[in-house]
Amino acid sequence: MSTHHNETILILDFGSQYTQLIARRVREQGVYSEIKPFNYSLKNIKEVSPKGIILSGGPSSVYETNAPLIDKSIFELDIPILGICYGLQLTGYLLGGNVVHADHREYGFALLNHSETDPLFEKVKNPLKVWMSHGDRLEDLPPDFSILGHTSNSPYGIIKHELKNIYGLQFHPEVAHTEQGAQMLRNFVYNITGCKGDWTPQSFIKSTIKSIRAEANSSNVICGLSGGVDSSVAAVLVQQAIGDQLTCVFVNNGLLRSGEADEVRDIFQNHFEMNFRYIDASNKFLSRLTNVTEPEKKRKIIGAEFIKTFEKVANEIQDVEFLVQGTLYPDVIESVSTKGPSAVIKSHHNVGGLPEKMDLMLIEPLRELFKDEVRAVGRELGLPDELISRHPFPGPGLAVRILGEITQPRLSLVRQADKIYMEELKSSGWYDKVWQAFAVLLPVNTVGVMGDERTYESVIALRAVTSEDAMTADWAQLPPELLGRTANRIINEVRGINRVVYDISSKPPSTIEWE
């Protein structure tokens, strides 16, 4: 489902780790941007007819064999172009300049002096701290280019074509380390490409509802609700478009957190008055998981059981032709990325594997959005804040937060501990400052003393991470008082737990979840 945007900034990806950031920074300015592989054809570019093109950074050197290059005629399209880092070197190289390997790899902060008169620098102070990360440099300017800015190490810090709107920046304006980088991108988007800024949650909702109506027409549509942010926002959007043609199915797999099933039912049945099917399949799931301890095996069993349950409901509804999925933009980018196939670390959290034979077409109303944009759309649609600001929760639920075998008593331990942890995070104001937090039950017993009795009981690990996008994550430095209070409550209030530890590993090398 593609909606046509009046204004698009096209980002060609040369493999930089910051490419998604560029797209987010442009969108934060109210202008739609999308990422395509560097070898996106000239014909396709013309079809998109973007207001501007940004060439991302990347790890290659332009003069190497197999370096990612683009068709030189892109510079003849009369579309403003901004090359960042590798993008600058590529522009220089293709248009007749000379790029060489630098004696000193420039990495980290540098002070940039710039010519203040160019529209790129409106409201940008001078000099400016910028973030560098490159091992090559432009040695000779291509013909018709002049210098707009330099650092002590990069004489060509910013270059510009004298007659066309073609710019190159040797630094990364999209990262937080560069002062006023967002302002420069804003200037490029508004002053140089002439965008007006029509990318808002309201405009997205309006155009998406229109395209869902056109696509679904009079067919029935089914949606698997997990109660997470993505599936909830997708469901409400589709309901606004087609009303009762939508049936939402919520499967309680017995692996949900404390009070979760009731909360989800309440929101969708009462608040949004949806066609809502609640299926309690917890006994079935748990009996299939008896004696299973291997994480991948748990995931496969849960995935397969979910599909079976979901198919059964789908078959009871007449004329279902579409399935709603809460796919987000980062998943879309990853699947069409230039970076080649990446190793499978663990089968993806969201339930991708619905069987071919269901023969349903997909409606993916959020496939253009980043997570923060999904939340903004959800707020606009009137979803309650506790749902919108919820941390991500994996499809297999508590099954991957109980290491070892899954039993009712062990589920009860992790549920109680998790509930206390969430209460403490919320009352201290830390819940919204971290990307994700949860309790994990370890398959270890340790010796403790309670009253004067020796105990031999389970261990809970607490995890909290900060992250922009879950690709990388740091452990959250929660205040010791908060951790102390949480541990104290868990040990006192949850019978069967006598020790609490805090996980201080970052991703990579660790993953966010424990299995």
Side-chain angles (χ1 to χ4, degrees):
M1 185 172 71
S2 103
T3 37
H4 181 70
H5 296 276
N6 303 332
E7 301 183 329
T8 300
I9 298 289
L10 190 61
I11 298 162
L12 296 183
D13 180 20
F14 293 89
S16 161
Q17 57 185 0
Y18 302 133
T19 303
Q20 285 197 27
L21 267 184
I22 305 173
R24 292 179 60 154
R25 296 290 167 263
V26 171
R27 291 175 176 209
E28 281 160 13
Q29 306 301 338
V31 173
Y32 178 71
S33 64
E34 61 179 314
I35 298 171
K36 293 292 180 199
F38 72 91
N39 52 8
Y40 197 59
S41 75
L42 217 55
K43 180 173 161 295
N44 287 341
I45 293 175
K46 286 178 184 157
E47 275 169 21
V48 174
S49 74
K51 300 282 271 188
I53 296 173
I54 297 179
L55 310 175
S56 84
S60 317
S61 292
V62 288
Y63 45 75
E64 286 169 354
T65 35
N66 297 333
L69 300 178
I70 49 175
D71 188 332
K72 203 167 99 174
S73 39
I74 194 170
F75 298 103
E76 308 295 323
L77 292 177
D78 207 26
I79 297 171
I81 292 177
L82 177 67
I84 294 176
C85 199
Y86 180 84
L88 166 135
Q89 292 157 12
L90 184 68
T91 304
Y93 177 77
L94 291 174
L95 295 179
N98 184 23
V99 176
V100 297
H101 182 66
D103 299 334
H104 301 286
R105 180 166 196 273
E106 197 171 14
Y107 183 80
F109 286 111
L111 207 57
L112 177 90
N113 290 286
H114 60 77
S115 73
E116 298 170 23
T117 51
D118 194 273
L120 191 65
F121 303 115
E122 189 190 326
K123 297 190 179 132
V124 174
K125 62 185 199 188
N126 198 11
L128 189 69
K129 258 168 61 178
V130 298
W131 183 256
M132 294 285 193
S133 169
H134 59 98
D136 292 341
R137 62 196 187 95
L138 189 60
E139 179 93 323
D140 304 304
L141 274 179
D144 300 324
F145 273 79
S146 49
I147 299 175
L148 292 188
H150 63 273
T151 68
S152 57
N153 205 0
S154 284
Y156 305 121
I158 301 181
I159 63 171
K160 177 181 190 223
H161 194 284
E162 285 157 7
L163 308 167
K164 302 176 177 175
N165 278 323
I166 301 174
Y167 289 81
L169 310 178
Q170 188 49 79
F171 55 92
H172 286 276
E174 70 275 22
V175 302
H177 305 313
T178 291
E179 283 185 300
Q180 293 190 291
Q183 181 64 43
M184 264 182 266
L185 287 169
R186 182 180 181 83
N187 290 341
F188 176 71
V189 166
Y190 283 97
N191 298 352
I192 289 150
T193 74
C195 285
K196 306 225 180 350
D198 60 0
W199 176 247
T200 61
Q202 297 84 338
S203 71
F204 169 80
I205 290 168
K206 225 170 113 176
S207 67
T208 305
I209 284 177
K210 214 167 117 180
S211 62
I212 293 170
R213 275 184 194 146
E215 195 174 4
N217 207 338
S218 57
S219 319
N220 284 332
V221 176
I222 189 168
C223 171
L225 259 182
S226 67
V229 182
D230 307 338
S231 71
S232 301
V233 173
V236 175
L237 247 181
V238 174
Q239 191 209 19
Q240 296 228 340
I242 58 171
D244 279 352
Q245 288 165 241
L246 172 69
T247 303
C248 287
V249 180
F250 177 61
V251 177
N252 181 351
N253 56 10
L255 303 164
L256 301 172
R257 289 166 292 194
S258 174
E260 197 161 12
D262 297 337
E263 220 172 278
V264 173
R265 285 174 78 170
D266 183 56
I267 291 171
F268 293 100
Q269 242 171 344
N270 306 338
H271 186 71
F272 284 104
E273 300 179 347
M274 292 199 170
N275 272 340
F276 183 86
R277 300 273 184 105
Y278 171 74
I279 293 155
D280 187 350
S282 40
N283 293 338
K284 217 167 185 170
F285 277 84
L286 296 179
S287 67
R288 295 269 330 264
L289 289 164
T290 313
N291 295 328
V292 177
T293 55
E294 212 275 309
E296 248 337 92
K297 203 166 165 199
K298 287 181 190 175
R299 287 171 184 280
K300 293 229 158 60
I301 289 173
I302 293 163
E305 195 55 48
F306 176 83
I307 287 163
K308 240 167 65 184
T309 316
F310 193 79
E311 271 194 303
K312 207 168 140 271
V313 183
N315 293 333
E316 290 164 11
I317 304 168
Q318 299 301 303
D319 310 320
V320 173
E321 287 191 27
F322 290 93
L323 171 72
V324 177
Q325 290 213 134
T327 314
L328 301 195
Y329 194 42
D331 305 328
V332 176
I333 301 168
E334 262 169 44
S335 56
V336 297
S337 157
T338 57
K339 302 177 189 64
S342 52
V344 175
I345 297 177
K346 40 176 141 171
S347 53
H348 220 302
H349 290 322
N350 45 14
V351 187
L354 285 171
E356 311 285 288
K357 69 169 194 294
M358 275 184 84
D359 246 9
L360 297 177
M361 291 174 286
L362 285 185
I363 290 182
E364 298 178 307
L366 310 178
R367 58 178 291 124
E368 295 183 333
L369 303 188
F370 288 106
K371 192 79 172 189
D372 47 344
E373 294 174 313
V374 174
R375 292 198 161 111
V377 166
R379 283 196 185 93
E380 191 66 31
L381 290 167
L383 279 150
D385 204 64
E386 67 271 17
L387 194 148
I388 292 294
S389 56
R390 259 180 68 165
H391 292 172
F393 187 60
L398 298 176
V400 291
R401 294 180 180 175
I402 293 176
L403 276 48
E405 200 197 339
I406 295 151
T407 61
Q408 281 294 11
R410 300 190 78 207
L411 273 162
S412 166
L413 288 178
V414 80
R415 265 192 196 116
Q416 292 174 70
D418 196 75
K419 186 172 185 225
I420 292 170
Y421 187 22
M422 293 309 121
E423 284 168 9
E424 291 298 333
L425 283 168
K426 284 176 179 163
S427 66
S428 62
W430 270 87
Y431 184 85
D432 289 331
K433 293 183 200 164
V434 297
W435 168 267
Q436 200 174 7
F438 51 89
V440 180
L441 182 67
L442 305 188
V444 209
N445 282 8
T446 70
V447 173
V449 178
M450 286 193 182
D452 294 322
E453 302 284 308
R454 178 175 178 282
T455 58
Y456 189 56
E457 295 177 334
S458 302
V459 180
I460 281 280
L462 301 179
R463 177 84 158 131
V465 297
T466 54
S467 173
E468 273 263 315
D469 51 14
M471 303 295 281
T472 61
D474 289 320
W475 61 277
Q477 304 198 16
L478 298 180
E481 312 79 63
L482 168 58
L483 289 169
R485 209 169 41 243
T486 306
N488 206 357
R489 277 193 62 193
I490 290 173
I491 292 166
N492 283 321
E493 295 173 34
V494 185
R495 291 199 55 174
I497 302 290
N498 68 356
R499 191 176 296 266
V500 173
V501 297
Y502 188 57
D503 176 354
I504 57 169
S505 345
S506 291
K507 172 185 179 179
S510 309
T511 50
I512 296 178
E513 298 284 346
W514 276 48
E515 357 186 280

